Amino acid sequence: MKKTGFHALMLSLALMAGTSTAQSGLPARGPDYFRDAADLAGILGSAHAIRVRCNGRDDQYWRRYMTDMLAYEAPEPGELRSSLVREFNDRFSDVSRDYLACDTDAVAAESRFAERGQEIATRLATHYFPKRDRKGKGFE
């Protein structure tokens, strides 16, 4: 898995999420969307915990993805934003307790988290942004 692929998916989701579903004809957000968004927030928190463990608190690589996700998916205070932040923080705490050292297991876990995050981002993009709306936006 290339991190650039995950980056492109997240960027494309973020760019297209600014369009309201009513205006664009995109599918309305339902329970599956909210589940996937929460899962993605948790994955980002998990990956961030490993990065911080291995590289120190100055490494904000995965937190920046979360910040971007919040900016586009839940820019205003409310239940969605609160639940995404809670999921990120809870998973960060859980993974921080599970991986007490930066070893090969931790590095492998970050890779798995990144792969899972890419799967979720792809599913969100595929469902909420049909192929005709994705052309030329980093999905090729």
Side-chain angles (χ1 to χ4, degrees), residues 50-68:
I50 301 287
R51 276 287 173 124
V52 167
R53 177 71 66 212
C54 291
N55 301 335
R57 292 216 171 266
D58 290 338
D59 190 329
Q60 298 294 302
Y61 182 81
W62 294 111
R63 184 184 292 262
R64 280 191 296 273
Y65 281 113
M66 180 64 182
T67 300
D68 290 345

Side-chain angles (χ1 to χ4, degrees), residues 67-81:
T67 300
D68 290 345
M69 181 179 170
L70 290 172
Y72 293 101
E73 297 299 325
E76 302 296 325
E79 184 56 35
L80 176 58
R81 185 179 186 89

Side-chain angles (χ1 to χ4, degrees), residues 43-115:
I43 291 293
L44 292 171
S46 298
H48 182 59
I50 301 287
R51 276 287 173 124
V52 167
R53 177 71 66 212
C54 291
N55 301 335
R57 292 216 171 266
D58 290 338
D59 190 329
Q60 298 294 302
Y61 182 81
W62 294 111
R63 184 184 292 262
R64 280 191 296 273
Y65 281 113
M66 180 64 182
T67 300
D68 290 345
M69 181 179 170
L70 290 172
Y72 293 101
E73 297 299 325
E76 302 296 325
E79 184 56 35
L80 176 58
R81 185 179 186 89
S82 295
S83 67
L84 294 175
V85 168
R86 185 172 42 254
E87 191 67 28
F88 179 93
N89 290 337
D90 288 350
R91 295 285 292 280
F92 177 89
S93 295
D94 292 346
V95 171
S96 293
R97 281 191 300 272
D98 292 343
Y99 293 92
L100 300 176
C102 181
D103 55 18
T104 56
D105 290 341
V107 172
E110 182 188 3
S111 182
R112 286 191 308 274
F113 294 140
E115 288 175 16

